């Protein structure tokens, strides 16, 4: 029997079934899966990337024909480029919350697959770096969701994940409830890069970007530490005025 007929028979008998990572419903993939976290067709559509117009420097959704938002025009971010999968809403937001507050590590694989999709067009870096979490948050949660997503991307790409290149510098006041200006002051000295970052091209991975203040501070530290290039990879971007529930 030809191979294609065998595959069809295998599928028709339901033997090729797999379980959707997001909705947990069994389904039969039409083609070979190129993902560590398989998704059924309905969830592929629900978790599709955002193709709406966005700021080229910070991925902020724009409702005009401009290419840069006002903030990036007046205060350009320090990174060399940005890739953002989607917006912090709907099922993508739900997947991020299931990882962060529900501790569902399968969501890290799913979100790592999302980053893999947007990263394939970029030149590969020397290493991946996850935005380090504040020690208080890390103690409370027991894991850093950005690191888990970066680890999934590392498994998918083989690019080394370097937790030693960037660390939190000093305790700070919680960010929640602060204005953007107050956050900027609060995060000025938030990170320190290791000497090992010198001359490296890096992808800095984070789960959600709200004001971008934390990411600006992290990239500035890497740049001060001698990193050659830093691209920011984020799963989801919020509009500037969204509540900051992900801190
Ligand atoms: Zn599904
Ligand atoms: Zn912008």
């Amino acid at each position: 029997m030809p191979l294609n007929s065998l595959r069809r028979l295998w599928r028709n008998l339901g033997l090729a079934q797999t379980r959707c990572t997001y909705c947990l419903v069994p389904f039969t993939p039409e083609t070979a899966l190129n993902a560590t976290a398989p998704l059924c067709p309905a969830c592929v559509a629900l978790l599709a990337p955002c193709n709406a117009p966005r700021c080229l420097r910070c991925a902020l959704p724009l409702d005009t024909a401009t290419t840069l938002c006002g903030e990036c025009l007046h205060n350009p971010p320090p990174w060399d480029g940005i890739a953002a999968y989607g917006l912090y809403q709907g099922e993508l937001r739900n997947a991020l919350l299931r990882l962060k507050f529900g501790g569902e590590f399968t969501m890290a694989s799913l979100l790592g697959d999302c980053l893999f999709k947007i990263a394939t067009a970029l030149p590969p870096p020397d290493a991946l770096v996850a935005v380090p979490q504040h020690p208080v948050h890390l103690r409370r949660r027991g894991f850093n969701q950005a690191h888990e997503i970066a680890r999934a991307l590392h498994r998918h790409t083989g690019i080394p994940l370097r937790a030693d290149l960037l660390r939190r510098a000093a305790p700070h006041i919680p960010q929640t409830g602060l204005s953007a200006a107050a956050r900027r002051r609060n995060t000025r000295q938030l990170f320190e890069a290791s000497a090992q970052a010198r001359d490296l091209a890096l992808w800095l991975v984070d789960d959600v970007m709200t004001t971008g203040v934390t990411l600006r501070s992290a990239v500035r530290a890497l740049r001060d530490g001698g990193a050659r290039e830093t691209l920011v990879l984020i799963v989801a971007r919020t509009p500037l005025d969204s509540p900051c529930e992900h801190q």
Side-chain angles (χ1 to χ4, degrees):
M1 193 182 283
L3 192 59
N4 279 348
S5 308
L6 265 176
R7 283 208 182 106
R8 206 172 310 122
L9 178 66
W10 186 256
R11 273 207 302 274
N12 291 345
L13 289 171
L15 296 173
Q17 280 207 331
T18 188
R19 197 174 283 276
C20 173
T21 308
Y22 188 76
C23 71
L24 306 180
V25 171
F27 72 105
T28 305
E30 285 298 310
T31 54
L33 290 164
N34 181 27
T36 50
L39 288 175
C40 73
C43 289
V44 167
L46 287 171
L47 289 154
C50 168
N51 293 317
R54 287 189 284 177
C55 172
L56 294 177
R57 298 302 307 272
C58 77
L60 183 76
L62 298 173
D63 48 12
T64 62
T66 53
T67 51
L68 294 179
C69 72
E71 175 71 8
C72 289
L73 269 177
H74 297 110
N75 182 22
W79 46 78
D80 298 290
I82 189 167
Y85 183 78
L87 298 182
Y88 190 58
Q89 61 188 29
E91 304 307 323
L92 189 60
R93 173 175 169 275
N94 197 38
L96 286 156
L97 294 176
R98 280 172 66 178
L99 168 62
K100 186 163 181 176
F101 297 109
E104 289 185 58
F105 288 96
T106 50
M107 292 300 114
S109 300
L110 188 162
L111 298 167
D113 283 350
C114 291
L115 287 189
F116 179 72
K117 282 180 202 158
I118 57 169
T120 47
L122 306 171
D126 299 309
L128 304 174
V129 177
V131 173
Q133 210 165 34
H134 189 273
V136 172
H137 294 151
L138 195 58
R139 264 199 304 279
R140 193 187 306 145
R141 195 164 294 133
F143 66 93
N144 173 0
Q145 67 279 0
H147 184 81
E148 295 305 320
I149 295 167
R151 199 196 329 243
L153 186 59
H154 153 72
R155 281 197 301 265
H156 220 330
T157 59
I159 301 165
L161 171 59
R162 298 280 303 270
D164 59 316
L165 297 184
L166 188 67
R167 65 179 187 90
R168 290 267 173 177
H172 74 297
I173 312 157
Q175 296 278 64
T176 315
L178 297 183
S179 68
R183 279 174 184 224
R184 206 165 288 137
R185 283 194 301 276
N186 195 28
T187 53
R188 201 161 281 159
Q189 300 293 329
L190 200 50
F191 299 96
E192 271 174 12
S194 112
Q196 306 294 318
R198 180 156 299 281
D199 292 333
L200 295 184
L202 303 168
W203 286 353
L204 180 64
V205 174
D206 207 359
D207 55 343
V208 183
M209 174 172 162
T210 301
T211 60
V213 169
T214 307
L215 277 162
R216 281 174 183 254
S217 179
V219 171
R220 239 179 267 123
L222 288 167
R223 218 167 60 171
D224 292 348
R228 178 162 47 86
E229 183 183 72
T230 307
L231 300 186
V232 166
L233 257 68
I234 53 170
V235 175
R237 176 70 162 105
T238 66
L240 276 179
D241 298 332
S242 284
C244 188
E245 63 181 58
H246 67 275
Q247 284 294 324

